[in-house]
Amino acid sequence: MTLHQALAAAFSLLVCTATFASSGKEWPVFGGNWDHQRHSQSTQITPGNVGQLDLAWEFDTGVSSSFQATPIVVNGVMFVSLPFNHVVALKADTGKLLWRYTHNRIKDRPMCCGPANRGVAVSDGKVFMGTVDSRLLALDARTGQKLWDIDVTKGEQGVQEDAATLGSQLDTQGGKLEVSGASGAGINMAPMVFDGKVIVGITGVGYGLHLDSPDPDAPLGAVVGIAGNYGRRGFMAAYDVNTGAMAWKFDTVPDQGWEGEFTKATLDGVVLPRNIEEEKAKAAQYPDAWKFGGGSAWSTPAIDRDNGILYFGTGNPSPQMEGSSRPGDNLYTASLVALDVRTGKLKWFYQQVPHDMWGYDVASPPVLFTTRHEGQAVKAVGQAGKTGWFYVHNRITGELLFKSEAFVPQHNMFTLPTEQGNVIYPGVIGGSNWSPVSVDEQRRMVFIAGIHWPVKYQLHELKAKGNKPALRYSSMSPIEDGEKYGLLSAIHLDTGKLVWQHKVNAPLIGGVLSTQTGLVFSGEGSGEFFALDSITGKRVWQHNNSAGVNAPPIAYEVDEKQFLAVAVGGNKLFGFKQGQTIKAWALRVK
């Protein structure tokens, strides 16, 4: 018997039931538990012994690219989706390869949002994954064999504009920048499985172009907004775990009433620079704007199983940053949305930014917990916004209970672009981007990975020249020579007050893990994987890696031994060095 056959046989013994059961000390779903709290109950690793952590194993994936996945661990097996949608199954205590699935991507379908995937779901003896080419797959959890494969957009990728055609008119700083990006449809989020259905949503539908440096290690140059009929509307949908047949679908942009009430301010009272009368007058000119409306579903949904409610965030409207061709509030974009998990029917929504023109997607996954409000315990859902506030809602009614103190600096927010360029922060980068938070209900804190990176919001008016017509567009460019950094913040779950902040040298993107023993783990783009004391916010441990740690860490146990694991693969968008490994740490054996 070969080593591979022996491992496969051992794996078959591990996977002996149709549905995986969790011991409470594994990592069976994207957020660690159904509430997405990313809080480990394991107690072996403490503030007192965290300095004794050693690298337990390392697995070379062979794929060097932006790596964002959360590993899933059930019954001693780790399942990880790699960039470009390959999947590996590893022994969680040693990192030994059990099987590998190699994804054959549809080549003529462009990746709108890069090759990164945020994880798989494991249930019913299957591994489920959404792909960058808008497919949903089911693999046999024992062997990695593909069981079914559906195209969730059925070939409809939305209206696209050739990037090269439009890009030839943009200001590329004398050819120093390259034009990329287009409308499309893909899946970045890790699915969730509930009641025999696998639930997932599509991304990339909010049309936009990027201006990028040709240097593979350089960060994003600019995000561009151009008016027009580009893109498509997003959706969240549920599919049968055995056949892939669609059970329900919720469109993130309604075909009736997407204009909303033409509100002059956000629901929490921030006045917006909108000309409501002009928008209403133009509305009849754009009756089909909803068809191109955007609203990507970026974040894995959290599910309240007791009340049967699913929560997720939606992306910016399309076209991004340019509102002239989409009058109105552009429902339900830039919103936290609650659905009936069994039917997909809308329960409520809270639009953080009506008629968004700043790229303030609701990108970080929602988290469920109990808060105390006006002396009463209230079941709540929270979400860390790109705006820099943590929003806390009554999870049944959607009422905003409070928003936190700002967890990143704020300046010139909700201002329009000018020809000279307005410096604003947070901008299109965030705030909190897609990074998931962690919640420690016992200590009454939520831990948020935050970004301070000022951007220049500029209006461009290009005159007609030769055969090129006049063009008006806006751009939002990260300011490279300005101050930028990351903040890991602890915020009180009942008051929204900042408890402490830990500053790091570069913007934080990846995610947070907390533990019952009082530790908070996260990673930096420079390669540090670190631990803080959850009470004080002081750094108590770190391990340096050769690539950026820009994925969410997890904790789990195998044979009563606790491990920490994270993907070490960097992030192209932020200019963090890319790599290709999965690493796990455990306490040093004495």
Side-chain angles (χ1 to χ4, degrees):
M1 179 182 290
T2 67
L3 175 61
H4 181 77
Q5 290 170 329
L7 290 171
F11 185 45
S12 294
L13 291 175
L14 290 170
V15 186
C16 57
T17 58
T19 302
F20 289 109
S22 171
S23 66
K25 293 186 177 180
E26 298 185 314
W27 201 274
V29 295
F30 170 78
N33 60 14
W34 284 87
D35 293 340
H36 281 0
Q37 291 185 348
R38 292 187 172 265
H39 183 75
S40 171
Q41 299 295 329
S42 296
T43 58
Q44 288 180 15
I45 301 171
T46 70
N49 65 21
V50 67
Q52 300 172 31
L53 281 176
D54 275 345
L55 190 64
W57 57 260
E58 179 177 354
F59 177 77
D60 187 338
T61 68
V63 183
S64 181
S65 193
S66 297
F67 208 162
Q68 299 177 359
T70 293
I72 300 297
V73 178
V74 287
N75 294 340
V77 180
M78 178 183 289
F79 301 88
V80 191
S81 58
L82 311 181
F84 301 99
N85 296 118
H86 311 305
V87 183
V88 292
L90 311 173
K91 289 199 69 180
D93 56 346
T94 65
K96 293 290 186 182
L97 179 66
L98 296 168
W99 54 255
R100 184 184 188 102
Y101 164 78
T102 301
H103 184 61
N104 293 316
R105 184 165 58 89
I106 300 174
K107 299 301 183 183
D108 61 354
R109 186 169 292 183
M111 292 187 302
C112 68
C113 316
N117 179 271
R118 293 175 187 159
V120 299
V122 180
S123 183
D124 299 86
K126 302 177 182 66
V127 178
F128 301 97
M129 176 181 59
T131 72
V132 295
D133 51 346
S134 69
R135 290 148 64 188
L136 180 62
L137 312 179
L139 310 176
D140 188 306
R142 291 178 295 273
T143 65
Q145 261 192 320
K146 187 159 60 176
L147 301 175
W148 51 259
D149 177 352
I150 62 168
D151 184 346
V152 301
T153 57
K154 298 180 180 178
E156 180 190 351
Q157 289 289 293
V159 177
Q160 296 190 38
E161 181 75 23
D162 179 55
T165 300
L166 281 175
S168 66
Q169 297 176 253
L170 303 182
D171 179 7
T172 60
Q173 299 179 17
K176 293 180 181 178
L177 300 175
E178 297 177 345
V179 180
S180 66
S183 295
I187 302 173
N188 289 95
M189 71 168 64
M192 287 290 282
V193 178
F194 179 82
D195 196 25
K197 307 294 186 295
V198 55
I199 302 168
V200 76
I202 62 169
T203 57
V205 296
Y207 174 81
L209 292 175
H210 287 182
L211 294 174
D212 299 310
S213 168
D215 180 354
D217 294 323
L220 171 70
V223 177
V224 176
I226 303 175
N229 291 336
Y230 316 116
R232 57 160 293 165
R233 58 179 176 171
F235 64 80
M236 182 73 73
Y239 304 85
D240 185 273
V241 295
N242 294 314
T243 65
M246 182 184 288
W248 57 255
K249 178 183 177 185
F250 173 80
D251 291 311
T252 56
V253 170
D255 52 9
Q256 297 290 328
W258 103 297
E259 297 87 357
E261 298 179 358
F262 290 88
T263 180
K264 295 182 178 180
T266 66
L267 291 173
D268 51 293
V270 179
V271 176
L272 299 171
R274 296 177 63 181
N275 187 331
I276 299 298
E277 290 70 24
E278 182 178 317
E279 284 185 42
K280 288 181 177 180
K282 285 186 174 181
Q285 300 176 34
Y286 302 97
D288 296 329
W290 61 270
K291 293 181 180 179
F292 317 100
S296 292
W298 289 107
S299 58
T300 297
I303 298 173
D304 179 339
R305 292 181 292 173
D306 293 336
N307 295 295
I309 305 177
L310 174 150
Y311 307 88
F312 73 103
T314 61
N316 58 268
S318 175
Q320 66 181 4
M321 302 191 316
E322 175 52 63
S324 61
S325 60
R326 47 173 172 85
D329 296 343
N330 311 148
L331 305 181
Y332 308 105
T333 63
S335 298
L336 181 64
V337 178
L339 307 179
D340 185 307
V341 69
R342 292 181 173 85
T343 66
K345 300 297 183 184
L346 180 69
K347 303 283 284 187
W348 57 261
F349 73 97
Y350 181 91
Q351 192 170 34
Q352 291 181 6
V353 185
H355 193 72
D356 173 35
M357 293 184 288
W358 301 272
Y360 286 143
D361 311 66
V362 179
S364 178
V367 60
L368 307 181
F369 55 91
T370 299
T371 187
R372 291 201 66 82
H373 181 67
E374 297 179 349
Q376 300 294 320
V378 179
K379 295 291 187 182
V381 54
Q383 197 276 329
K386 287 176 77 173
T387 56
W389 291 297
F390 184 66
Y391 299 82
V392 178
H393 302 261
N394 181 312
R395 73 171 81 159
I396 305 301
T397 66
E399 174 193 0
L400 180 67
L401 303 176
F402 62 86
K403 70 179 184 182
S404 73
E405 294 180 332
F407 56 81
V408 293
Q410 295 172 322
H411 174 72
N412 263 353
M413 292 174 63
F414 306 110
T415 59
L416 297 177
T418 63
E419 290 187 6
Q420 296 75 28
N422 277 332
V423 175
I424 68 173
Y425 45 86
V428 67
I429 301 170
S432 182
N433 206 285
W434 65 268
S435 305
V437 306
S438 178
V439 163
D440 184 337
E441 285 199 275
Q442 179 180 321
R443 295 176 178 85
R444 311 304 301 150
M445 285 187 280
V446 57
F447 306 102
I448 302 172
I451 298 166
H452 174 63
W453 196 341
V455 298
K456 183 166 72 172
Y457 196 14
Q458 191 168 8
L459 183 65
H460 303 262
E461 299 272 4
L462 301 183
K463 297 179 180 179
K465 186 176 182 180
N467 60 352
K468 296 178 180 179
L471 181 66
R472 180 180 185 273
Y473 70 95
S474 60
S475 68
M476 196 173 281
S477 310
I479 298 175
E480 270 301 297
D481 56 358
E483 185 181 33
K484 56 182 182 290
Y485 52 81
L487 286 168
L488 204 162
S489 304
I491 292 175
H492 201 283
L493 290 175
D494 302 323
T495 67
K497 301 292 185 183
L498 284 167
V499 180
W500 52 255
Q501 291 190 296
H502 179 82
K503 185 177 179 180
V504 299
N505 290 330
L508 281 175
I509 189 80
V512 190
L513 165 73
S514 60
T515 74
Q516 194 67 14
T517 59
L519 291 168
V520 179
F521 291 89
S522 192
E524 297 186 53
S526 53
E528 285 83 5
F529 181 43
F530 64 87
L532 309 180
D533 184 296
S534 65
I535 299 299
T536 66
K538 301 298 184 184
R539 188 174 295 216
V540 293
W541 173 84
Q542 75 175 41
H543 180 98
N544 297 324
N545 300 277
S546 60
V549 182
N550 305 117
I554 68 166
Y556 61 94
E557 291 186 21
V558 179
D559 295 332
E560 300 184 350
K561 181 178 181 179
Q562 185 180 354
F563 294 84
L564 301 168
V566 72
V568 180
N571 188 287
K572 168 66 172 69
L573 188 66
F574 283 74
F576 297 146
K577 186 177 180 180
Q578 297 178 91
Q580 57 188 44
T581 59
I582 303 161
K583 292 186 175 184
W585 289 261
L587 291 175
R588 187 179 308 131
V589 178
K590 294 181 180 179

